[in-house]
Amino acid sequence: EPDRRAVLLCSTLKQYLWGAAQNPLFMRLSLCQLLRTASEMIVKKEHVPYLSNEHTHIQPNKIPLPFCPPVKFIDCDRGVQVRFQCSKPADFRVEMDGVVHALHSFNPTTALPSPVVITAQDETTKERWQTEVRLTPPKEKHPHPIIQSEVIGIVKHTTRGSALSRVKRDWVIPPINVPENARGPFPQLLVTIRSDHDKHRSLRYSVTGPGADQPPTGIFFINPVSGELSVSQPLDREHIPNFHLRAHAVDLNGNQVENPIDIVINVIDMNDNRPEFVHQMWNGTVPEGSKPGTSVMTVTAIDKDDPKTQNGQLRYKILSQTPENPNPSMFTINNKTGNIITMAAGLDREKVPQYTLIIQATDMEGTQLYGLSNTATAVIRVTDINDNPPEFTSDMFYGEVPENRVNVIVANLTVTDKDQPNTPAWNAVYKITGGDPTGRFSVPTDPMTNEGLVTVVKPIDYEISRTFVLTVVAANEVPLDQNIHRSRQSTATVSIKVIDVNESPYFDPNPKNIRLEEGMVTDSMLTTFTAQDPDRFMQQSIRYSKLYDPAGWLRIDPGNGRVTTMAVLDRESPYVSNNMYNATFLATDNGSPPASGTGTLQIFLLDINDNAPYVFPSEAEVCEKPEPNGINITAVDPDLSPNAGPFAFDLPDRQPDVTRNWTITRLSGDVAQLSLRIGFLESGVYEIPIVITDSGNLPMFNTSYLRVKVCQCDHNGDCTDRQHIVAAGLGTGAIIAILLCIIVLLILVLLFVVWMKRRDKERQAKQLLIDPEDDVRDNILKYDEEGGGEEDQDYDLSQLQQPDTMEPEAIKPVGIRRLDERPLHPEPQYPVRSAAPHPGDIGDFIHEGLKAADNDPTAPPYDSLLVFDYEGSGSTAGSLSSINSSSSGGDQDYDYLNDWGPRFRKLADMYGGNDE
């Protein structure tokens, strides 16, 4: 069949060329291997080699490539780990899963190796099993050699206890490569699966797995009779890169005749996806002045194609740069990693603050002819560094300030800085380097305008300095770049003029201290307290006045400041503290506007003996008998030593009754003891005069009276008589206050009584002046009484009926009547109301009833108008009880009730015969 062989050979070459174009890995296969495989398959009439009499063959649509296919080891549900060993390790190799490989080629025409013994050993129990694998040449006329690394067969073992045996070899189909996005026509045949058993009986083929009978279903299908496996639609590698199917062969009864065959279908990648950048807009920064080679940022693109092929291998490129100055190639990009770096020097934020780059990513390793590409934008912002020093807008600034003013802004210093605003490289810092040795100025920075605010921090005296010339240097919060030098314009001069103002006069010294003896007489000259005017260049006069003199002792001359006394100076005055008296004076000039200053005069008062001593305490108690002790008294003198103690204590000689009953003994310099001279003194209050003399240069004495209460004492010496000293009673003011409280309380009680009586009278008047329209005495029930129902009432409702219709036996005995019921006696008859009275007659009826009640001697001691169970004799109204109301009075005309007002209109509707 030379024509058919040529067709197969051409098909093999075509597949090789197509695979080499789609996958560079195909280039690793030698063309001679493909041709040899194709020739062998042509000789064998497209049959695949076999190892035993029972074999499965395939008729491929495309010649499979000679790759070693994966073969699985079947465990037969043993569940143990078995290790295989081969008797001829130089010729064959057994994998862990039982796959036997030939390590080199064999020629079937020569003698094949003797049977190969395969040993299986259980790793856990160390049990061993053996089997033989025999190699037989194929029965075809043109046997083919066994290719190195070809799968010889699969060694299987059964359950424990049975010997290992060789089974037939299952043919494994090499992976089928199908390009994605194929144009068809569809269905497209992939491979034909045939079994040798179909020569003797009819078989049915099926395929299972994802893409066949599992989602996504319907992509692959097989002709159940011919075994042709086809694809029904284009495949997408990016969606599913490969499919794993299993082919089955069964007879017409559904019995399996072949072991399932694994079919791997690889979707060959096509360059059908453009690169996609992770972000369409990339943002990066680079400091200005950066050197070439500085990394800026890295851009990244993703290609959904296979990254192991050229379809998914990307290359990056910068298409454009905006702006192009100072160099059109300021940046470059690593074509593999996408890292953007600086390529040229000259980045200057003040000139070009931002660059925009168009980045292109191309697959096929950047081949513009075949590759697909996409673009993104990279925005590179040039960040600022301190490469521009601040420069003053002028070399000279001027300002002026009034003297003695602080926290005043004298001048505003303005600067320019080309760096980015509101950054440490732009924020200015000012420093005074000359012209201010005493530190009277500072230059803080205005955070809003970046200006320097020349501010006075210490008072300036015009009489000392009239002008200041400051040297100010401007810098930034961060130092300048090391390659930049400070500009001459970073230094400026500030000239400040001081303005003279009218300053306040000042006293010197302030405060002024003088020492004087107390007791100086009036109009005594103490000192001259004058002030000075700091305005030496102004001709002004000063006037003096007194500002603070708590005791009113001093005066000051308005013109010359002489201080004299107005009263006697007293060291013991409450206005003197620690012997010091303070007075404040005011000095005012005649400037415009006038200015004033204060000064304090401190007078230290020296003590003189001008106060006599006195006894303390002024009252005491003593027992009738002198035992067990006397009275200790103390002498007190406001003066200081030596004008005070020690003191001398004496009793006056002119009062013999005092010296006869009492004696005084000095205990110390200011303490003495007063005791009874006699054995008993009657209880009472005695005033004992005591003469106390101080120790001054001119001694002063004083007679003080000690009030002594003589009382009976207990064994402890305490008075048992608690009678108070008469003088210790309540004072006049306390007695008057108590009397006033009593009077106010009586007035309040009287007003309350009067108010209660008036309220009772108003309540009674209201009961008598009830408006006839509001009179509800015709009602039967008392609304202020909560009853238990008609069955609980102990009175007869027939009492409410007309008297002329009442039966005599219906009258209840007096003993069981209610207390507020009117007794039923034939006393004076009450007026009878007509059947249909005019509304104007109601008032007359009430007054007549009132007169009858007032003249009734049997009326109870309360207002009879409050009794509601009697409506007078001769009433035309029938009974209102629930028993009789429906049967009595049905023929009466109640329309007249409509004229009595809204209260009676409801009764007219109820009893007027209206059935509604």
Side-chain angles (χ1 to χ4, degrees):
E1 301 174 348
D3 295 336
R4 180 164 184 160
R5 296 175 183 177
V7 171
L8 290 176
L9 182 59
C10 292
S11 178
T12 302
L13 293 175
K14 180 179 179 181
Q15 182 173 357
Y16 170 78
L17 296 176
W18 173 83
Q22 299 297 324
N23 194 338
L25 296 177
F26 282 75
M27 299 297 292
R28 302 178 182 177
L29 302 176
S30 62
L31 183 58
C32 62
Q33 287 181 330
L34 293 173
L35 295 176
R36 184 178 64 181
T37 303
S39 302
E40 293 169 354
M41 298 186 71
I42 291 172
V43 172
K44 295 188 307 180
K45 298 181 181 180
E46 304 176 27
H47 285 84
V48 179
Y50 58 89
L51 288 179
S52 62
N53 294 329
E54 297 179 0
H55 64 274
T56 302
H57 67 275
I58 62 173
Q59 294 181 346
N61 180 47
K62 295 180 181 178
I63 300 177
L65 298 178
F67 292 117
C68 182
V71 179
K72 296 182 181 179
F73 168 69
I74 302 175
D75 191 12
C76 296
D77 298 329
R78 177 176 172 82
V80 296
Q81 184 176 0
V82 179
R83 183 169 60 89
F84 299 99
Q85 294 180 353
C86 178
S87 61
K88 295 183 179 182
D91 298 330
F92 303 97
R93 182 181 77 251
V94 184
E95 300 291 346
M96 294 297 296
D97 54 359
V99 179
V100 182
H101 293 270
L103 299 180
H104 54 83
S105 301
F106 298 94
N107 191 350
T109 58
T110 62
L112 293 175
S114 59
V116 180
V117 179
I118 305 299
T119 302
Q121 180 177 356
D122 191 338
E123 294 291 342
T124 304
T125 62
K126 302 303 180 180
E127 295 183 77
R128 297 170 62 89
W129 299 270
Q130 290 184 349
T131 186
E132 292 183 354
V133 177
R134 298 181 180 273
L135 301 180
T136 59
K139 297 180 181 181
E140 284 80 356
K141 296 181 180 180
H142 303 282
H144 76 287
I146 300 177
I147 302 175
Q148 181 178 355
S149 298
E150 184 179 358
V151 178
I152 301 302
I154 301 178
V155 178
K156 305 179 182 178
H157 70 278
T158 58
T159 58
R160 179 177 298 185
S162 61
L164 292 176
S165 62
R166 181 191 179 277
V167 297
K168 75 162 190 171
R169 182 178 70 173
D170 292 334
W171 288 107
V172 179
I173 302 177
I176 302 174
N177 298 318
V178 181
E180 65 173 336
N181 303 323
R183 296 184 178 180
F186 295 98
Q188 181 179 356
L189 179 62
L190 299 181
V191 68
T192 301
I193 303 174
R194 298 297 301 273
S195 173
D196 288 344
H197 293 284
D198 63 355
K199 296 179 180 180
H200 309 290
R201 50 181 171 174
S202 298
L203 301 181
R204 293 295 181 265
Y205 301 96
S206 63
V207 64
T208 59
D213 61 341
Q214 299 178 15
T217 61
I219 298 180
F220 302 97
F221 64 92
I222 190 171
N223 189 315
V225 177
S226 64
E228 295 178 349
L229 178 64
S230 304
V231 60
S232 63
Q233 62 188 34
L235 303 180
D236 187 1
R237 190 203 67 84
E238 287 72 34
H239 181 54
I240 301 178
N242 50 63
F243 297 87
H244 295 269
L245 306 178
R246 302 199 75 181
H248 307 269
V250 297
D251 58 15
L252 297 180
N253 295 325
N255 299 320
Q256 179 178 324
V257 298
E258 295 284 357
N259 291 330
I261 301 174
D262 290 331
I263 302 176
V264 178
I265 301 175
N266 294 325
V267 183
I268 303 302
D269 183 42
M270 303 291 289
N271 191 16
D272 58 342
N273 291 279
R274 291 181 178 273
E276 296 290 341
F277 282 92
V278 176
H279 305 291
Q280 195 62 32
M281 180 70 69
W282 297 81
N283 296 293
T285 59
V286 59
E288 61 176 334
S290 297
K291 297 180 180 180
T294 303
S295 178
V296 179
M297 60 191 299
T298 300
V299 297
T300 304
I302 299 176
D303 197 321
K304 296 181 181 179
D305 292 327
D306 190 357
K308 298 180 181 180
T309 65
Q310 290 182 340
N311 299 334
Q313 295 178 1
L314 307 182
R315 297 295 183 265
Y316 299 93
K317 180 182 179 181
I318 297 178
L319 296 182
S320 65
Q321 168 190 310
T322 304
E324 297 183 352
N325 56 319
N327 191 320
S329 300
M330 294 296 295
F331 302 93
T332 185
I333 188 170
N334 188 313
N335 63 348
K336 292 185 179 180
T337 63
N339 183 27
I340 301 176
I341 59 177
T342 59
M343 186 176 179
L347 291 174
D348 190 351
R349 190 203 65 84
E350 288 72 33
K351 295 180 180 180
V352 182
Q354 180 175 290
Y355 290 90
T356 302
L357 305 181
I358 303 299
I359 310 298
Q360 183 186 58
T362 306
D363 56 17
M364 298 298 292
E365 294 184 341
T367 304
Q368 298 294 331
L369 183 59
Y370 306 106
L372 302 177
S373 60
N374 209 337
T375 60
T377 302
V379 178
I380 301 176
R381 184 172 56 88
V382 182
T383 59
D384 186 39
I385 64 173
N386 194 12
D387 58 344
N388 294 280
E391 297 179 352
F392 285 99
T393 58
S394 176
D395 295 336
M396 180 68 72
F397 294 89
Y398 298 92
E400 59 182 21
V401 58
E403 63 174 335
N404 300 323
R405 297 284 298 277
V406 294
N407 298 327
V408 177
I409 298 176
V410 179
N412 290 16
L413 309 183
T414 57
V415 295
T416 58
D417 197 322
K418 297 179 181 179
D419 292 323
Q420 186 175 358
N422 301 317
T423 62
W426 178 82
N427 296 333
V429 177
Y430 300 90
K431 181 179 180 182
I432 300 175
T433 59
D436 185 23
T438 58
R440 298 184 180 275
F441 299 91
S442 68
V443 188
T445 303
D446 188 342
M448 302 299 296
T449 62
N450 208 31
E451 295 180 351
L453 308 178
V454 181
T455 307
V456 181
V457 295
K458 294 181 181 180
I460 302 174
D461 191 354
Y462 174 82
E463 285 71 24
I464 298 177
S465 299
R466 300 185 182 185
T467 59
F468 289 87
V469 179
L470 308 179
T471 301
V472 181
V473 175
N476 293 119
E477 292 181 355
V478 295
L480 282 172
D481 188 74
Q482 57 183 357
N483 298 323
I484 306 299
H485 301 284
R486 186 183 301 276
S487 174
R488 185 184 63 84
Q489 287 80 11
S490 298
T491 303
T493 302
V494 183
S495 178
I496 301 174
K497 179 182 178 182
V498 182
I499 301 175
D500 188 18
V501 297
N502 185 21
E503 299 179 74
S504 301
Y506 65 93
F507 289 88
D508 189 21
N510 189 16
K512 184 177 182 179
N513 296 312
I514 60 175
R515 297 172 65 91
L516 299 173
E517 286 188 353
E518 64 173 333
M520 295 188 66
V521 297
T522 306
D523 295 331
S524 299
M525 193 274 183
L526 301 182
T527 184
T528 301
F529 195 27
T530 58
Q532 299 179 7
D533 192 347
D535 299 318
R536 294 176 296 174
F537 303 99
M538 297 181 183
Q539 301 299 326
Q540 298 179 147
S541 60
I542 300 176
R543 302 285 295 179
Y544 301 96
S545 60
K546 185 172 61 173
L547 184 63
Y548 176 74
D549 181 17
W553 291 342
L554 308 176
R555 72 164 61 94
I556 188 170
D557 188 276
N560 54 26
R562 295 181 60 183
V563 180
T564 57
T565 60
M566 297 173 57
V568 177
L569 304 182
D570 187 6
R571 191 197 63 83
E572 290 76 28
S573 172
Y575 300 106
V576 178
S577 177
N578 297 327
N579 302 329
M580 189 72 69
Y581 180 76
N582 295 323
T584 304
F585 298 94
L586 182 67
T588 307
D589 60 19
N590 59 350
S592 179
S596 60
T598 60
T600 301
L601 180 63
Q602 294 182 342
I603 304 174
F604 188 85
L605 297 176
L606 302 176
D607 184 42
I608 62 174
N609 194 11
D610 58 344
N611 292 279
Y614 58 90
V615 68
F616 181 84
S618 59
E619 297 180 356
E621 292 182 353
V622 69
C623 298
E624 293 177 342
K625 297 182 178 181
E627 293 83 6
N629 51 31
I631 303 173
N632 292 336
I633 59 175
T634 303
V636 178
D637 193 334
D639 294 330
L640 300 177
S641 180
N643 298 321
F647 301 96
F649 301 88
D650 295 305
L651 296 177
D653 297 334
R654 299 180 180 180
Q655 298 183 7
D657 54 343
V658 174
T659 57
R660 183 177 59 251
N661 296 333
W662 301 91
T663 181
I664 189 169
T665 304
R666 177 180 172 182
L667 300 180
S668 63
D670 55 354
V671 178
Q673 186 180 68
L674 180 67
S675 58
L676 285 173
R677 181 186 294 271
I678 60 178
F680 174 81
L681 184 63
E682 184 179 357
S683 299
V685 178
Y686 300 87
E687 291 189 357
I688 310 300
I690 301 175
V691 179
I692 305 175
T693 305
D694 60 22
S695 300
N697 189 12
L698 296 176
M700 296 189 68
F701 65 93
N702 181 33
T703 301
S704 299
Y705 288 88
L706 177 65
R707 301 176 65 103
V708 179
K709 176 185 178 182
V710 179
C711 59
Q712 297 179 357
C713 298
D714 55 12
H715 63 279
N716 294 325
D718 299 329
C719 284
T720 57
D721 184 9
R722 295 302 179 184
Q723 179 182 0
H724 297 289
I725 301 176
V726 175
L730 294 176
T732 304
I735 296 175
I736 294 176
I738 294 174
L739 293 177
L740 289 176
C741 292
I742 295 174
I743 294 173
V744 170
L745 183 60
L746 293 176
I747 293 175
L748 292 176
V749 173
L750 181 60
L751 291 176
F752 179 75
V753 172
V754 172
W755 177 75
M756 290 295 293
K757 290 184 174 295
R758 178 174 297 180
R759 192 179 65 171
D760 293 341
K761 292 181 179 179
E762 291 178 354
R763 184 182 303 172
Q764 296 176 1
K766 288 181 180 179
Q767 294 177 355
L768 297 176
L769 298 177
I770 297 177
D771 192 298
E773 191 71 14
D774 298 330
D775 190 2
V776 293
R777 285 177 297 163
D778 288 344
N779 295 338
I780 297 175
L781 299 178
K782 293 182 64 177
Y783 294 111
D784 58 348
E785 181 179 21
E786 295 291 336
E790 292 182 356
E791 64 275 6
D792 296 333
Q793 303 294 337
D794 58 352
Y795 55 86
D796 191 358
L797 293 177
S798 61
Q799 299 295 328
L800 301 178
Q801 296 178 356
Q802 297 184 12
D804 54 354
T805 60
M806 295 174 52
E807 297 295 335
E809 62 272 13
I811 302 177
K812 294 186 296 183
V814 179
I816 62 173
R817 295 175 58 85
R818 284 172 39 181
L819 296 179
D820 58 346
E821 288 185 14
R822 177 181 177 84
L824 297 177
H825 297 286
E827 275 77 35
Q829 295 294 325
Y830 287 87
V832 179
R833 186 173 57 187
S834 61
H838 189 272
D841 298 334
I842 295 178
D844 298 334
F845 174 79
I846 293 175
H847 288 293
E848 293 177 359
L850 178 62
K851 292 179 180 179
D854 294 337
N855 297 325
D856 188 0
T858 61
Y862 46 78
D863 193 353
S864 62
L865 294 179
L866 297 179
V867 179
F868 301 135
D869 57 354
Y870 182 78
E871 297 188 2
S873 176
S875 174
T876 60
S879 174
L880 296 179
S881 65
S882 60
I883 299 176
N884 300 326
S885 61
S886 61
S887 59
S888 63
D891 298 335
Q892 298 184 18
D893 185 10
Y894 294 96
D895 292 339
Y896 66 90
L897 295 177
N898 295 324
D899 299 331
W900 288 15
R903 297 177 181 271
F904 297 91
R905 191 172 294 118
K906 184 64 178 177
L907 294 176
D909 294 339
M910 295 174 59
Y911 295 95
N914 190 354
D915 295 338
E916 297 178 358

